[in-house]
Amino acid sequence: MSKILHLKLLGKTVKEISKLLNQSKSMIYRVLTRKTPYEPKPRSARPHATDIRSDRRIQRMASSQKMSVNEITKTSRLQISKNTVHRRIIESVHMIHAKMARRLPLSNLHISKRLQWARNHMSYSDKWMAILFCDEKNGPDGYIKYWHDLRKEPRSFFTPQSGGGSVMV
């Protein structure tokens, strides 16, 4: 760009500049008609349906509350589509759509109760043969997605060990 401006100041025509720099005449005209050499081309686009304040509120709702895009759309009191809400959440550099981890939240109390139960039932020897274990699952299948704020700890959900199950006697 500086070469184009320099050659124009020397009195060269657009045609001469385009031949010297091996550039199109339209590109030379574009550079010469801009107010400053580094001014970006003005973009014409439809204005945003939300302002910056609304965008932050949408992102805060996704980050701090356990809400889906549809729930945020309904509670935001804005006349916007769920796609707009989805785009505003994605525009945040701190938000990702993540799969919720499946974990057993074992505290010291949980661990001691499990050990006590195991010790109490170690002497069941023959009684265990009369018990039928079933691994049917009641609850989430592990595909729970949520909006995860990268600045916070990942969320998890409780799942019974080995998928839960029931005991039939």
Side-chain angles (χ1 to χ4, degrees):
M1 283 195 232
S2 61
K3 287 182 181 179
I4 295 170
L5 296 173
H6 181 69
L7 290 170
K8 189 62 180 171
L9 288 173
L10 292 175
K12 300 282 185 184
T13 64
V14 172
K15 189 175 184 178
E16 292 170 337
I17 295 171
S18 69
K19 283 188 178 184
L20 281 171
L21 299 177
N22 198 20
Q23 296 290 334
S24 67
K25 287 190 286 185
S26 62
M27 194 281 272
I28 305 296
Y29 276 118
R30 251 194 330 267
V31 171
L32 292 174
T33 55
R34 294 213 177 132
K35 294 175 188 165
T36 61
Y38 299 108
E39 181 182 307
K41 183 178 179 182
R43 302 279 180 196
S44 62
R46 185 174 166 195
H48 279 263
T50 58
D51 58 350
I52 295 170
R53 192 174 189 180
S54 300
D55 294 347
R56 280 195 309 257
R57 198 167 117 234
I58 289 168
Q59 291 167 358
R60 192 170 40 252
M61 288 170 82
S63 171
S64 63
Q65 300 171 7
K66 298 174 184 175
M67 298 177 81
S68 66
V69 171
N70 284 333
E71 291 168 338
I72 292 170
T73 305
K74 290 174 187 172
T75 60
S76 67
R77 288 179 263 139
L78 297 169
Q79 295 296 321
I80 55 175
S81 69
K82 66 178 183 174
N83 293 334
T84 302
V85 171
H86 190 261
R87 276 194 308 273
R88 296 304 176 265
I89 295 171
I90 290 173
E91 286 170 2
S92 171
V93 295
H94 302 292
M95 300 293 291
I96 60 168
H97 204 229
K99 183 177 170 183
M100 198 176 292
R102 213 183 325 186
R103 292 201 182 110
L104 277 174
L106 292 179
S107 64
N108 290 334
L109 179 65
H110 287 118
I111 292 169
S112 64
K113 284 191 174 188
R114 281 178 174 228
L115 283 172
Q116 185 61 39
W117 185 89
R119 287 185 184 119
N120 289 343
H121 292 86
M122 282 173 59
S123 62
Y124 256 40
S125 63
D126 292 337
K127 293 180 185 177
W128 284 115
M129 300 307 283
I131 297 174
L132 175 68
F133 290 94
C134 177
D135 66 348
E136 291 177 2
K137 191 171 180 179
N138 296 327
D141 60 356
Y143 294 108
I144 299 175
K145 296 266 187 160
Y146 74 106
W147 289 107
H148 172 57
D149 191 339
L150 296 173
R151 298 167 292 184
K152 297 180 179 179
E153 287 293 318
R155 290 194 337 222
S156 60
F157 68 95
F158 172 74
T159 179
Q161 189 175 14
S162 304
S166 56
V167 179
M168 293 180 225
V169 182

